[in-house]
Amino acid sequence: MIPPANAIPPVRHPEAPAPGELLGAHYEHCFGCGEGQPHGLHLQARAGEGVSVSAEFTVKSAHQGAPGLAHGGVLATALDETLGSLNWLLRKIAVTGRLESEFVRPVPVDTVLHLQAEVTAVAGRKIYSSAVGRIGGPDGPVAVRADALFIEVKVDHFIDNGRPEEIRAAMADPDQVRRARAFEVNP
């Protein structure tokens, strides 16, 4: 995705996690990063330099499409989750507006997918970012790529559209950081 001419470089929020810091799950029941999902990706992201993150997840048997290979939708989910984690470095609540993915090579079950993502530009409420996933290590062969457009939203987006019991539970969390992070990625 090509940002418009009026886009500006991203600026890391002064209170963003430090480079190398594990971001942790934004919501316990998130399929991408939450520990409350038995067959979820359990993706773990770390803050990088600037407005970047690195993440990894291990492809399990429950994630396969063709025999012994990761399902393309699961790989797209891993890209989306990694890209969504970037918004925490901007301290913005944003949802995926568009995700363009490219599948370069198969990813076998039991493989660790190493993901790198960065915000490339910001234009008003639009956040442009890109990611790459590699197998065999952070410098291994490219397996997947994605470009994404996230749209900044208010927390009302989730309150008005989410299931009331989950929204109430997230809003009742006394930990302000966890409460804010519960609304940081998707739908």
Side-chain angles (χ1 to χ4, degrees):
M1 269 164 255
I2 299 172
N6 66 338
I8 60 172
V11 177
R12 184 187 188 103
H13 191 279
E15 296 176 20
E21 187 174 330
L22 186 64
L23 299 181
H26 74 91
Y27 179 58
E28 175 187 2
H29 299 291
C30 173
F31 180 78
C33 65
E35 291 299 320
Q37 291 291 344
H39 297 297
L41 305 184
H42 304 149
L43 187 133
Q44 296 204 352
R46 288 189 182 280
E49 297 293 330
V51 187
S52 70
V53 297
S54 62
E56 59 182 49
F57 90 97
T58 302
V59 178
K60 303 288 185 189
S61 292
H63 303 142
Q64 64 189 310
L69 297 173
H71 189 286
V74 168
L75 296 175
T77 300
L79 289 162
D80 187 42
E81 185 69 29
T82 304
L83 289 158
S85 296
L86 290 164
N87 297 315
W88 187 238
L89 301 179
L90 299 172
R91 287 289 179 101
K92 295 183 183 283
I93 298 172
V95 296
T96 309
R98 185 177 181 123
L99 177 69
E100 295 176 359
S101 53
E102 178 183 5
F103 304 96
V104 178
R105 69 180 66 238
V107 180
V109 170
D110 296 326
T111 296
V112 176
L113 188 64
H114 298 267
L115 298 130
Q116 296 284 333
E118 67 177 341
V119 175
T120 57
V122 176
R125 294 176 43 228
K126 296 179 178 180
I127 302 164
Y128 296 85
S129 53
S130 62
V132 63
R134 298 173 182 272
I135 55 178
D139 297 319
V142 173
V144 292
R145 290 186 189 97
D147 290 311
L149 169 64
F150 280 79
I151 308 297
E152 184 178 1
V153 297
K154 302 288 184 208
V155 75
D156 292 351
H157 169 86
F158 300 94
I159 293 169
D160 294 344
N161 296 292
R163 208 162 58 169
E165 53 269 27
E166 277 91 357
I167 297 296
R168 279 193 299 275
M171 294 297 282
D173 192 325
D175 183 324
Q176 289 185 3
V177 171
R178 278 199 341 227
R179 185 176 341 142
R181 288 212 55 213
F183 300 102
E184 79 175 6
V185 181
N186 290 336

